[in-house]
Amino acid sequence: DAGVIQSPRHEVTEMGQEVTLRCKPISGHNSLFWYRQTMMRGLELLIYFNNNVPIDDSGMPEDRFSAKMPNASFSTLKIQPSEPRDSAVYFCASRFGGRETQYFGPGTRLLVL
Amino acid sequence: RKEVEQDPGPFNVPEGATVAFNCTYSNSASQSFFWYRQDCRKEPKLLMSVYSSGNEDGRFTAQLNRASQYISLLIRDSKLSDSATYLCVVNKYGGSQGNLIFGKGTKLSVKP
């Protein structure tokens, strides 16, 4: 079975540009998580969805960040406008039902110049 | 105080050595605990859950001390392939209700 799929795998953009990261969770998983990982702060939860509904977005840094999950098989994380401090690896993870184990995608490496 | 704290390392050990990592957590109400492994430039993956009674999986042993709020991971007879960053993870509420809180990780490098 395919794991969590993320695209693009790498993104280099200039400050001020819009960036859209995409995630396809594992089929049948009903919870989806967006994380950001940096050397300074480690792995931080940005937002998570249960059954396509955002449950906790307290980790979203500011209004420049937004996330959507229009259906059970697709989610996006958008940064507009992007800033150099947004440079990080962004991971998407999914989880099945009442289980605790989260399965991570390969991540998107974002560099904002 | 950070919610989950770990010694960042790096721990540099020879093959065959035994190495132990510790982790402390701040929320005494935390319910579930895990160790994840993250290889260089890869995603985190679950290594093992940590139970109050302790649990063992081959060369890996995890222990939980609720009174002191710390979690440990012991790796015996370390292999080159054990080189990775080990993330201590806590679920504040347990089950599917809580979010996972990740430590920043302890880097292990096993040398020939």
Side-chain angles (χ1 to χ4, degrees), chain A:
Chain A
D1 285 340
V4 176
I5 299 172
Q6 290 187 246
S7 64
R9 294 291 305 276
H10 299 86
E11 177 81 32
V12 180
T13 190
E14 292 186 345
M15 184 172 65
Q17 297 298 306
E18 178 180 296
V19 175
T20 300
L21 310 181
R22 297 173 177 79
C23 176
K24 176 179 169 55
I26 293 172
S27 177
H29 285 195
N30 61 343
S31 295
L32 183 141
F33 304 79
W34 281 102
Y35 291 89
R36 177 172 67 176
Q37 188 174 37
T38 62
M39 289 290 292
M40 288 295 294
R41 301 174 68 89
L43 197 61
E44 303 174 285
L45 178 67
L46 299 177
I47 184 170
Y48 88 93
F49 296 84
N50 260 0
N51 297 315
N52 313 338
V53 176
I55 301 300
D56 183 356
D57 66 354
S58 59
M60 295 286 262
E62 50 198 87
D63 291 345
R64 297 186 297 107
F65 285 68
S66 63
K68 294 182 179 179
M69 192 164 186
N71 57 61
S73 58
F74 184 66
S75 177
T76 59
L77 177 68
K78 186 175 292 187
I79 308 172
Q80 166 62 21
S82 58
E83 296 182 2
R85 61 191 168 125
D86 301 330
S87 297
V89 182
Y90 291 81
F91 287 105
C92 175
S94 68
R95 180 183 71 191
F96 173 73
R99 305 279 177 86
E100 292 185 278
T101 303
Q102 295 183 19
Y103 296 84
F104 283 75
T108 295
R109 297 185 175 277
L110 174 64
L111 178 61
V112 182
L113 302 173

Side-chain angles (χ1 to χ4, degrees), chain B residues 37-61:
Chain B
R37 170 189 168 133
Q38 186 172 22
D39 292 311
C40 186
R41 300 181 71 82
K42 298 287 189 181
E43 70 273 22
K45 293 183 180 178
L46 177 67
L47 177 66
M48 60 197 303
S49 302
V50 187
Y51 305 117
S52 295
S53 55
N55 50 304
E56 188 172 310
D57 183 2
R59 298 180 292 107
F60 297 81
T61 301

